[in-house]
């Protein structure tokens, strides 16, 4: 009788959850493997980012929607690649959700194909000023 380990099954079927439809819910284990983040980090981020609310079923089992996974990717980028603190990333995402200036500036630069250093400097300067005023106010 041939034994099959779980790692062999994963290798045979690709990434965890890859056999599911694109819009299907993913477990915390699948999301953890997909994003390369530990499960406890995902649970902690739920406490730090109010907009991150995976579906919870019996026994508090978490199921992540595609938009939850996209948000987790954005948080991961902000924290691990762009150097934001958790609080700073949370504030930026809240601004983005409410139609914040940073998102509009970013989208307009991408949409118009402007990637020059000058336009990037202007965008970053405006963002810095917004952040400075937010810090002074709070």
């Amino acid at each position: 009788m041939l034994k099959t380990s779980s790692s062999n099954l994963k290798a045979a079927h690709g990434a965890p959850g890859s056999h599911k439809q694109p819009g299907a819910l993913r477990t915390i284990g699948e999301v953890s493997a997909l994003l390369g983040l530990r499960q406890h980090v995902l649970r902690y981020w739920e406490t730090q980012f109010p907009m991150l609310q995976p579906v919870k079923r019996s026994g508090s089992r978490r199921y992540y929607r595609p938009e939850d996974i996209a948000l987790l990717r954005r948080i991961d980028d902000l924290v691990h690649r762009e150097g934001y603190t958790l609080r700073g990333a949370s504030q930026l995402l809240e601004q983005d959700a409410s139609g914040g200036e940073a998102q509009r500036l970013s989208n307009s630069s991408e949409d118009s194909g402007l990637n020059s250093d000058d336009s990037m400097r202007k965008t970053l300067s405006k963002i810095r000023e917004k952040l400075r005023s937010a810090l002074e106010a709070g």
Side-chain angles (χ1 to χ4, degrees):
M1 184 167 190
L2 182 65
K3 283 189 167 183
T4 307
S5 70
S6 62
S7 61
N8 288 343
L9 284 174
K10 286 180 185 176
H13 295 291
S18 64
H19 61 281
K20 293 184 176 182
Q21 294 294 321
L25 299 176
R26 304 282 195 273
T27 65
I28 193 168
E30 292 169 336
V31 174
S32 172
L34 178 69
L35 300 178
L37 296 166
R38 310 275 306 253
Q39 291 182 22
H40 71 273
V41 171
L42 298 176
R43 287 189 291 271
Y44 179 68
W45 282 359
E46 284 178 40
T47 66
Q48 301 300 305
F49 296 90
M51 66 287 296
L52 179 59
Q53 297 179 343
V55 176
K56 290 187 183 173
R57 300 264 166 88
S58 63
S60 296
R61 189 170 165 96
R62 290 164 173 79
Y63 291 94
Y64 292 86
R65 300 169 293 237
E67 56 269 20
D68 296 323
I69 296 170
L71 179 58
L72 285 167
R73 279 194 170 115
R74 179 74 175 127
I75 293 168
D76 184 39
D77 284 342
L78 290 171
V79 173
H80 293 123
R81 287 161 195 79
E82 296 183 32
Y84 280 83
T85 62
L86 291 179
R87 183 175 178 194
S90 179
Q91 289 174 347
L92 181 65
L93 290 171
E94 286 173 10
Q95 285 178 349
D96 288 355
S98 65
E101 182 72 13
Q103 183 64 34
R104 283 197 302 273
L105 289 170
S106 174
N107 286 344
S108 66
S109 292
E110 290 170 12
D111 292 344
S112 62
L114 297 176
N115 288 324
S116 71
D117 289 340
D118 190 41
S119 67
M120 291 291 276
R121 276 191 202 96
K122 288 178 184 176
T123 301
L124 291 172
S125 293
K126 289 179 181 180
I127 293 170
R128 182 176 45 225
E129 289 305 315
K130 286 263 188 203
L131 290 172
R132 184 176 293 139
S133 2
L135 287 172
E136 289 171 359

